[in-house]
Amino acid sequence: MNLDDTIVAVATPPGRGGIGVIRLSGPEAKSIALGMLRIKHDLEPGRAVLAELTEPEGGDADTLEHETNKRKSAPDITGGFSAKSSDPQRIDEVVVLFFQEPHSYTTDDVIEISCHGSPVVLARVVQIAMARGARLAEPGEFTMRAFLNGRIDLTQAEAIRDLIDSQTLFQAKVAAQQLGGALSRLLGPIKQRLVELIAALEAGIDFAEDDISVMPAEQILTRIAAISAPLKTMSETFAYGKMVHQGLTLAIVGRPNVGKSSLFNRLVERERAIVTATPGTTRDLISETVTIGGIPVRLVDTAGIRHALEETEDLGIRKSMEAIADADVVLIVVDASVPLSAEDQEILAKAGGRAAMVIENKCDLAKLPSPMFDFEIRHLRTSAVTGEGIAALRDEILRHIRGDAGSYSESGFLTNVRHQARVCDAISGLQAATTGVRNRIPHEMLLLDLYSALHALDEITGATSANDILNLIFSTFCIGK
């Protein structure tokens, strides 16, 4: 991949729309764009300009292919399409934005051409730009250039993908915080303390003749603990952050005719599942994703669990058991208007060991007190018919999702599996270093574990070079005086 090329791609999603955007980035972006445009004024940085997108008469695919081949065989010859070379044909009226280096997304010159969103027009613009010397961008290449040119770090690059993929406003806000460098700001002071410790130990080893004292073991342990503590806190936030990023699955289970599908419809807020008075209406899994507290929750309505009367129902019950195994949370629905049955007890025994809560449905018909369960489990009384208890159920689901993370700020938790793995690797390196200090191993060996921890953090935000450490040594210690 040549990073000095000028690249082009459609920046808007596939399909038809009111607007479609073509993006060019690279040293020839402006000249390529000007050759495609009929424009009254020169492009100025940060200013939107109205222009006509043009091509020469007879500018069909064969002509474009010939032009491309000519440029490949004789790259030193200037040529290509120009509004001045022949009578141009207007393709579209467009708005053009010019972002001059280094004040652009990639830090190169960037041109964005906003056309009408016809796939035919967009494809044609890309085709003409390629004929004039641009290269079709690889997937993610604009963001890769932004990273390689120092515009963003790795965490921000990943946040761009998360922001695009967000399904809820809360997810978008979290991704926007990460895109703003929130995680890098959290890790920055931690990495700095680790680099300072490494620099101090390196100085004590390499420059002992210059009266740089060797750091005592107790001081090393104290500094390692100060580095480890925020990393451990950060690691503990991942369970919540993973749910924010990926959502969770909630299975609604119970015996037939206890109101599972009615409860499902209440949570979905529309008639998604068929509800009848006949037991066993639901034969297959029905799923729908809703938003609770800004987090996507996939609700799964299951077949009633009982001793099956026919093969089709038996298959549905097997899927219900699989749904219990796969779910993050299980809602066990019982009929509050009748005593617990043997089938209810059997379902409670199977699902009670998981993250579960009992929903005593049909409380509008209930004349019985809440039953006593064989083990401690959260339970709520609801009515899918009247809506009683549904708001409390949503709150309880949200409380389960948040757990102990209710006080976390939107920028204060890990949401990425890769980040979590690297933080754990860093903690492991620091724990190994702690053990090494207590076992009085030489500082040269201790540094191996500290560098291991530093490299793990570097894989999240970007590398710390040897020059960074050397500069810190010489700026902190008066070596050679």
Side-chain angles (χ1 to χ4, degrees):
M1 185 181 295
N2 188 352
L3 297 179
D4 295 326
D5 290 347
T6 297
I7 56 176
V8 63
V10 181
T12 42
R16 300 182 185 276
I19 296 293
V21 177
I22 305 294
R23 176 181 286 171
L24 295 105
S25 177
E28 302 299 322
K30 184 177 179 182
S31 62
I32 290 173
L34 286 175
M36 301 161 58
L37 300 171
R38 186 191 301 166
I39 191 169
K40 292 183 179 179
H41 307 286
D42 191 18
L43 295 175
E44 298 179 17
R47 179 183 176 186
V49 177
L50 186 65
E52 288 185 342
L53 192 65
T54 63
E55 65 175 350
E57 289 185 7
D60 54 16
D62 292 337
T63 306
L64 289 171
E65 184 177 356
H66 172 73
E67 181 66 30
T68 302
N69 292 334
K70 184 173 72 173
R71 291 184 63 89
K72 288 181 179 178
S73 61
D76 57 324
I77 298 176
T78 305
F81 294 102
S82 171
K84 299 178 181 179
S85 63
S86 63
D87 294 330
Q89 292 180 331
R90 170 171 157 164
I91 300 175
D92 196 4
E93 189 174 65
V94 301
V95 174
V96 185
L97 276 170
F98 173 41
F99 302 91
Q100 190 172 36
E101 64 168 341
H103 307 292
S104 71
Y105 180 61
T106 63
T107 75
D108 298 323
D109 281 350
V110 171
I111 296 286
E112 291 187 354
I113 303 174
S114 298
C115 316
H116 290 93
S118 164
V120 175
V121 172
L122 297 175
R124 184 61 167 169
V125 177
V126 171
Q127 193 179 27
I128 296 174
M130 292 175 64
R132 294 192 57 81
R135 171 173 61 80
L136 188 64
E138 299 290 336
E141 188 172 354
F142 289 94
T143 301
M144 179 183 288
R145 289 191 176 196
F147 166 69
L148 294 175
N149 292 336
R151 174 73 170 76
I152 57 176
D153 63 23
L154 282 176
T155 64
Q156 292 171 298
E158 290 169 308
I160 292 169
R161 179 196 59 206
D162 292 343
L163 184 57
I164 293 171
D165 292 340
S166 59
Q167 303 176 54
T168 70
L169 182 58
F170 182 61
Q171 286 180 321
K173 287 181 178 179
V174 171
Q177 291 282 346
Q178 303 278 19
L179 180 57
L183 182 57
S184 300
R185 289 193 294 272
L186 285 173
L187 287 173
I190 300 172
K191 282 182 63 176
Q192 181 63 25
R193 287 196 290 268
L194 180 54
V195 170
E196 289 172 356
L197 176 57
I198 290 172
L201 294 178
E202 291 276 18
I205 294 169
D206 295 338
F207 302 102
E209 66 276 9
D210 290 291
D211 297 327
I212 301 299
S213 60
V214 176
M215 188 178 294
E218 287 303 319
Q219 186 177 350
I220 296 174
L221 289 174
T222 300
R223 294 180 70 166
I224 291 177
I227 298 167
S228 298
L231 288 177
K232 290 177 179 177
T233 300
M234 192 179 298
S235 178
E236 291 168 356
T237 68
F238 179 64
Y240 175 57
K242 183 180 178 182
M243 288 186 181
V244 171
H245 183 250
Q246 299 180 359
L248 78 160
T249 301
L250 187 151
I252 303 175
V253 302
R255 61 183 176 82
N257 215 30
V258 294
K260 299 185 302 302
S261 295
S262 298
L263 187 65
F264 175 85
N265 288 339
R266 270 286 180 179
L267 292 172
V268 173
E269 296 183 341
R270 65 187 179 93
E271 295 297 317
R272 176 67 175 82
I274 297 174
V275 177
T276 71
T278 304
T281 302
T282 303
R283 298 296 182 93
D284 202 354
L285 303 183
I286 302 173
S287 66
E288 193 76 24
T289 299
V290 299
T291 299
I292 298 179
I295 297 172
V297 178
R298 178 173 172 262
L299 299 174
V300 181
D301 184 22
T302 65
I305 299 174
R306 63 176 176 179
H307 298 293
L309 302 178
E310 55 181 88
E311 183 179 3
T312 304
E313 186 177 4
D314 183 57
L315 291 174
I317 292 170
R318 290 182 190 178
K319 287 190 176 183
S320 297
M321 301 310 298
E322 292 173 2
I324 292 175
D326 295 338
D328 299 297
V329 183
V330 178
L331 298 186
I332 306 169
V333 184
V334 300
D335 188 341
S337 64
V338 297
L340 287 181
S341 67
E343 289 176 333
D344 289 327
Q345 296 288 3
E346 186 177 347
I347 296 168
L348 286 166
K350 290 177 180 178
R354 302 181 53 79
M357 65 181 78
V358 175
I359 307 302
E360 300 173 49
N361 197 32
K362 302 185 182 181
C363 68
D364 54 314
L365 304 177
K367 298 179 181 179
L368 300 172
S370 295
M372 297 294 295
F373 300 102
D374 295 336
F375 49 88
E376 186 175 347
I377 189 170
R378 289 170 293 170
H379 56 94
L380 292 171
R381 294 172 72 85
T382 65
S383 171
V385 174
T386 66
E388 181 182 347
I390 299 299
L393 174 57
R394 290 178 179 275
D395 292 341
E396 185 63 20
I397 293 171
L398 184 59
R399 191 201 67 77
H400 170 81
I401 293 171
R402 288 181 174 172
D404 298 328
S407 61
Y408 298 154
S409 68
E410 292 177 4
S411 60
F413 49 83
L414 295 176
T415 61
N416 187 295
V417 175
R418 189 183 71 84
H419 297 168
Q420 167 69 356
R422 298 293 80 78
V423 168
C424 289
D425 289 343
I427 293 171
S428 297
L430 293 170
Q431 289 174 340
T434 299
T435 302
V437 173
R438 290 172 177 163
N439 292 335
R440 299 182 180 181
I441 67 169
H443 286 188
E444 293 87 345
M445 301 299 293
L446 184 64
L447 280 167
L448 294 176
D449 293 323
L450 295 178
Y451 272 116
S452 175
L454 179 60
H455 293 158
L457 297 181
D458 282 344
E459 289 187 36
I460 300 177
T461 59
T464 302
S465 69
N467 286 337
D468 293 330
I469 295 173
L470 287 174
N471 290 338
L472 186 58
I473 290 174
F474 287 99
S475 64
T476 306
F477 304 99
C478 299
I479 307 297
K481 283 189 176 180

